[in-house]
Amino acid sequence: MSSQAAGGCPPVSKSTQRSPSFRKNRLRASFSCVSPSSHGEIVVVEEPSVPSEYVVGWRRDRRHSRSILRLSAFGDRQAAISKALALSCGYVPSTDPKRNRARDSKRSSVYMWERAFAGPRRPYASIEDAAADARHLAALFGVTPVTVSLGSSRLVSGSYFMPSRGIVLASSMLDRASLIHEMAHYLVWRMGIEEPSHGPAFAAALVAFHVLSATMPVETPLVLAEKYNLKINTDLLDGLLGFSFRKLAA
């Protein structure tokens, strides 16, 4: 899986690693406040290149630390915080059309395909229940359990998997279908497969989890995949199902 699709990068070989001097400065907010209209958060960031300047900006949520929309700047931190608080009362970001990235061109099709075969969502009573289920799902393929946590109110762009944080579920997506979706991203990352976020390997992992979790016939998602023009790595799917069934029978 493309690691960037999951929100981070898997281990890379030494030949492709850059020295620390080439790393981008990570903008760290010294203050943040949530917009009541749930359009992300307003932040105050100290500009790395100009230490005496405090930038007031907007970001969708904490994952987007490097893509902060600059709104204004101040030489005094308290003045910047006052401006941030004032903006948070009614700031609404631009509604420019989203650009589909080529590396993730199948994302919308995968979502429609998944909804077509996954059936009703099964909500968890708590994040602890979701974490326990994640441990069970990881055990099916003998991989290390992944951390599962609940996103804060600042998370407005959906649930996600990030290697450095594990699986983060939005409060409105505390259900098994959402967990399985992120577990599929996690499994592909653990296997070191580099491809578009919702590519054939991800589709294979997603089908494997659903088949094993709901005793669903594998033919159901395979037939629907043709309808939505999606490719599934069937060799990987066969391997995942075969490995898991052998493990369950042991």
Side-chain angles (χ1 to χ4, degrees):
M1 145 182 138
S2 167
S3 55
Q4 293 181 356
C9 296
V12 295
S13 63
K14 291 183 179 179
S15 61
T16 61
Q17 288 181 333
R18 291 182 175 185
S19 65
S21 61
F22 285 96
R23 293 176 183 173
K24 293 182 179 179
N25 288 324
R26 186 173 180 84
L27 302 179
R28 297 190 180 279
S30 60
F31 177 84
S32 63
C33 49
V34 181
S35 170
S37 54
S38 298
H39 288 292
E41 62 182 347
I42 303 296
V43 297
V44 174
V45 177
E46 185 172 355
E47 183 64 52
S49 58
V50 188
S52 60
E53 183 174 71
Y54 295 90
V55 174
V56 178
W58 171 87
R59 65 184 176 190
R60 185 164 296 280
D61 60 51
R62 288 185 174 182
R63 287 180 295 162
H64 298 81
S65 295
R66 290 178 182 164
S67 55
I68 296 175
L69 176 63
R70 182 187 175 111
L71 301 176
S72 57
F74 298 84
D76 178 72
R77 183 174 183 270
Q78 191 55 51
I81 290 175
S82 297
K83 180 64 174 179
L85 288 170
L87 285 172
S88 70
C89 295
Y91 178 76
V92 178
S94 171
T95 55
D96 292 338
K98 294 181 180 178
R99 291 171 293 182
N100 291 326
R101 292 170 290 182
R103 69 177 178 85
D104 204 7
S105 60
K106 291 296 184 180
R107 181 173 183 167
S108 59
S109 297
V110 164
Y111 286 163
M112 291 188 290
W113 168 63
E114 186 178 6
R115 285 194 293 269
F117 72 77
R121 293 181 178 271
R122 294 173 50 189
Y124 294 110
S126 66
I127 191 63
E128 289 76 19
D129 288 346
D133 201 12
R135 290 193 291 271
H136 165 71
L137 293 171
L140 291 173
F141 302 108
V143 295
T144 304
V146 59
T147 300
V148 179
S149 59
L150 192 63
S152 70
S153 58
R154 295 181 177 88
L155 181 61
V156 298
S157 55
S159 302
Y160 62 91
F161 162 69
M162 182 184 293
S164 61
R165 287 201 62 185
I167 291 174
V168 179
L169 296 176
S171 57
S172 61
M173 301 175 70
L174 190 57
D175 60 77
R176 198 172 211 206
S178 297
L179 177 67
I180 286 178
H181 186 100
E182 303 309 329
M183 284 295 298
H185 282 306
Y186 171 64
L187 181 60
V188 173
W189 176 74
R190 282 302 306 265
M191 290 188 290
I193 298 174
E194 295 188 24
E195 66 173 32
S197 174
H198 295 87
F202 169 81
L206 187 70
V207 170
F209 275 125
H210 275 286
V211 168
L212 294 168
S213 300
T215 60
M216 173 193 302
V218 69
E219 291 77 18
T220 300
L222 293 181
V223 170
L224 285 169
E226 296 181 6
K227 175 182 177 180
Y228 291 99
N229 194 29
L230 291 173
K231 292 183 179 180
I232 299 176
N233 186 332
T234 53
D235 290 336
L236 177 60
L237 176 59
D238 290 343
L240 289 173
L241 291 177
F243 173 85
S244 186
F245 280 127
R246 287 196 302 272
K247 200 166 185 297
L248 289 172

